Amino acid sequence: MAGTTRTERDSMGELAVPAEALWGAQTQRAVENFPISGWRMPRGFLRALGLIKAAAAEANAGLGLLDAKRGEAIRDAALKVAAGEFDAEFPVDVFQTGSGTSSNMNANEVIAHVAHSLGGMAVHPNDHVNLGQSSNDVVPTAIQVGAVLAVRERLLPALEHLREAIGRRAHEHLGTVKTGRTHLMDAMPLTLGQELFAWASQIGHAEERLKETERRLHGLPLGGTAIGTGINAHPRFAERACADLARFSGAPFKPAANPFEGIAAQDGAVELSGQLNGLAVVLMKISNDLRWMNSGPLAGLGEIELPALQPGSSIMPGKVNPVIPEAVAMVAAQVMGMHATISVAGQSGNFQLNVMLPVIAHNLLWAIELSANAARLLADRAIAGFTVREDRLQEALARNPILVTALNPLIGYEKAAAIAKKAYASGRPILDVAVEETGLNREVLARALDPLALTKGGIVEGLAGGG
């Protein structure tokens, strides 16, 4: 239709671009070349691109390579991109050229267009916005910057929130004794607080691992340009640009010790993905424990009741399901799959360039976002609100034949096993059978078999002299 397009030109010639679009010919070619998924690059990646372009403009202006007015216009336009004002102007599919050149040029073209509007002067996407840069160093840098900021601002606070929520419930139930389970079979008792503190410890260790890995992403290959040599970049560009990027972002970014590595490989992204995979294992473990503890309410374990959030069946009235742990477990499965994708993509470094950068960016940043959202959901809509069915806990404890383990030091394993089997077969309390079979004082046996005492470990004092 007349008036709906304009003509743009790049090194390959002229191309029609939507009249109102802020992008140019190279972005348009990518839109037409890669109609694959409809998935655009994630917000965290676009934010990082904007911050990088702003820092580059500051550095180049400070080094005298850009005039002050043009540098300021590019910086301001790039910061608007970082803030999300022009996300609709980034239509390039995730599945594009492996270097991410299309997304880098998309940013260059949009920023050049906006900077021209802000400053009233000509701004070239390559000569000015991309000055001292290449897609080959910008896109790996954007992956690192986006990941670091997402971990710091979204994931770590969410995990701290989850850990503290679990810790609060653990303190509430330090004295709530329940049957332990190994192999899904009855085992020695523990307190619900002990069980929950184990979850909190898992989350805490996941936080520590993420922080350690995040630290290794601070060194950026920005300034290495095409392959790491820094061709066409000022010798001080990397230092100045990383310092400005640190100022804009609040993270301690610095030039990579070896920019060749940062361009040729994505080992840091693979490592971070591995930590997210480990966190997914933790979240799935906690979610499945909650599902088992909530199971029933009559034919399952029925130890807790999770908050009733929605009807659980379209055909069975009154059914309520553990929807939050189920959703979190699905997130965990998705993150594990993303780790497989990132691992394969990380192997695709051919000589001086990895050629699966966009798919690494997509999966890594979405895995962080999904994990953060799932952690908060688990804390607020499952952990914080579950109630404990103490009657069911006590019923199971009274009939748990494994309590006889406490008598091993006195009567030996074989005799204890016989008592356990008899108590299980007869359905009688273990204490009654132990009195019959050992002839020991009932009060001493009751003390030895007290579930709360058994949660403290060790050998029950006074047992040997009680008979």
Side-chain angles (χ1 to χ4, degrees), residues 2-21:
T4 60
T5 65
R6 69 180 193 271
T7 300
E8 289 279 348
R9 173 180 288 276
D10 63 10
S11 61
M12 295 185 70
E14 294 183 345
L15 192 68
V17 174
E20 301 302 318

Side-chain angles (χ1 to χ4, degrees), residues 59 222-223 234-245 253-255:
L222 187 62
H234 191 284
R236 295 184 58 200
F237 172 80
E239 177 188 353
R240 294 285 294 267
C242 288
D244 287 322
L245 186 52
F253 295 118
K254 59 186 178 181

Side-chain angles (χ1 to χ4, degrees), residues 374-459:
R376 287 195 179 274
L377 202 64
L378 191 64
D380 296 339
R381 300 193 185 182
I383 298 294
F386 73 74
T387 57
V388 179
R389 299 181 63 187
E390 299 208 30
D391 57 331
R392 291 293 294 262
L393 299 184
Q394 292 304 314
E395 178 185 352
L397 278 171
R399 300 178 59 188
N400 183 4
I402 306 302
L403 299 180
V404 77
T405 301
L407 304 182
N408 283 357
L410 181 63
I411 63 176
Y413 181 93
E414 297 296 338
K415 182 65 174 177
I419 293 173
K421 291 177 182 178
K422 184 174 181 180
Y424 179 76
S426 63
R428 297 169 60 202
I430 192 71
L431 176 60
D432 293 346
V433 177
V435 170
E436 291 178 1
E437 296 296 318
T438 67
L440 295 173
N441 181 281
R442 186 180 185 88
E443 291 184 3
V444 172
L445 284 172
R447 190 164 62 250
L449 298 172
D450 174 37
L452 181 59
L454 295 178
T455 66
K456 297 176 174 59
I459 298 174

Side-chain angles (χ1 to χ4, degrees), residues 282-356:
V282 173
L283 293 177
M284 185 172 280
K285 195 274 186 198
I286 294 172
S287 296
N288 284 333
D289 281 356
L290 285 168
R291 291 173 59 229
W292 275 104
M293 293 160 69
N294 179 77
S295 61
L298 300 178
L301 297 182
E303 295 181 344
I304 64 171
E305 288 183 3
L306 291 166
L309 300 178
Q310 63 186 61
S313 173
S314 62
I315 191 173
M316 293 177 280
K319 193 171 187 292
V320 178
N321 297 329
V323 293
I324 298 301
E326 288 175 352
V328 172
M330 284 190 281
V331 166
Q334 181 68 51
V335 171
M336 293 174 190
M338 288 173 162
H339 179 53
T341 298
I342 292 169
S343 297
V344 172
Q347 299 174 53
S348 297
N350 305 123
F351 299 110
Q352 278 69 60
L353 179 67
N354 182 286
V355 291
M356 288 197 181

